[in-house]
Amino acid sequence: AIGESPQRDDDERKELEIRRSHSPSRRVQKPGCERLREALGSNEAFKKLYLELCELAISTYKHVSRLRSARYVGKDLANFYCALNEPQKAIVFFLDLLRELKAEKWNSLASQTLLELANCYKKLNDSLSYTKTCAAIACSVDLETLVRTFYFDDFLKSLKSIQKQLTTSDRGNVNYLALE
């Protein structure tokens, strides 16, 4: 079983006592094996540990100036949020990755990230952002023609939907259609 070594358990207990003596107000974490056991036993504990480790990895990579690596951990985190059906949390990480990929001219990977963003915006019913993303996908030469055509058609449908919303609601908000 995970971490069942009498010698290791004794070493971890001694280390724990040393930590407590150095900083009595500091929250002492459980040994790694115990945390892993808990995470594998409960979905909520797994989610908590995964998010904690991702946050630690991202901050560590940023601290040592490895932004690309931090963005890729962010991409994994965004996919995790998508799997949890929380696309609003995933968008931030996808946008960070997209900026990084465009800056480094990784156009093919940027196009794939645009597809992920489009899925998130669609799940959130964010018409304006979805329309902008569809336009960017339709213009991406790195994607297959069939994919680009699909998103161009969605762009047109979404644009018509936005125009209908404008005609039925306040027409004074002209900036609503401004595609940045």
Side-chain angles (χ1 to χ4, degrees):
I2 297 174
E4 289 185 4
S5 167
Q7 176 63 33
R8 188 182 306 162
D9 288 344
D10 289 339
D11 292 344
E12 287 177 356
R13 280 191 200 103
K14 289 176 186 174
E15 184 180 331
L16 193 62
E17 289 173 17
I18 291 170
R19 281 192 215 159
R20 282 187 184 150
S21 66
H22 283 44
S23 177
S25 63
R26 183 177 168 193
R27 192 183 104 218
V28 179
Q29 292 185 345
K30 298 176 185 174
C33 294
E34 190 175 325
R35 292 176 69 201
L36 181 60
R37 232 182 268 126
E38 284 179 12
L40 293 174
S42 150
N43 285 341
E44 197 57 39
F46 176 82
K47 179 181 173 183
K48 182 181 175 188
L49 181 63
Y50 182 78
L51 294 175
E52 182 182 320
L53 292 176
C54 283
E55 181 182 325
L56 179 64
I58 289 171
S59 63
T60 302
Y61 279 131
K62 285 182 178 180
H63 182 72
V64 295
S65 299
R66 299 284 187 224
L67 291 179
R68 186 186 312 148
S69 298
R71 301 291 188 247
Y72 280 115
V73 173
K75 180 184 183 225
D76 289 339
L77 190 54
N79 288 326
F80 182 73
Y81 280 128
C82 286
L84 292 176
N85 201 23
E86 297 179 10
Q88 69 279 4
K89 293 180 180 178
I91 287 173
V92 175
F93 295 105
F94 282 134
L95 286 173
D96 283 345
L97 178 63
L98 183 62
R99 274 188 228 105
E100 182 84 17
L101 293 172
K102 283 184 176 182
E104 295 186 9
K105 307 237 186 293
W106 290 62
N107 298 327
S108 180
L109 293 174
S111 297
Q112 295 301 319
T113 305
L114 279 172
L115 294 172
E116 298 287 345
L117 265 174
N119 289 331
C120 289
Y121 288 134
K122 191 168 190 161
K123 286 179 183 177
L124 288 174
N125 292 323
D126 185 347
S127 301
L128 186 58
S129 297
Y130 181 71
T131 304
K132 291 178 184 180
T133 307
C134 284
I137 291 170
C139 296
S140 176
V141 295
D142 296 305
L143 295 171
E144 294 180 19
T145 305
L146 187 61
V147 173
R148 294 171 59 197
T149 304
F150 173 81
Y151 280 96
F152 180 73
D153 292 341
D154 260 15
F155 166 75
L156 292 176
K157 290 176 196 172
S158 205
L159 194 58
K160 286 178 185 176
S161 168
I162 291 173
Q163 287 173 340
K164 285 179 186 177
Q165 289 175 3
L166 268 181
T167 57
T168 59
S169 66
D170 181 16
R171 283 197 129 236
N173 189 5
V174 178
N175 289 334
Y176 186 70
L177 275 182
L179 295 175
E180 297 172 2

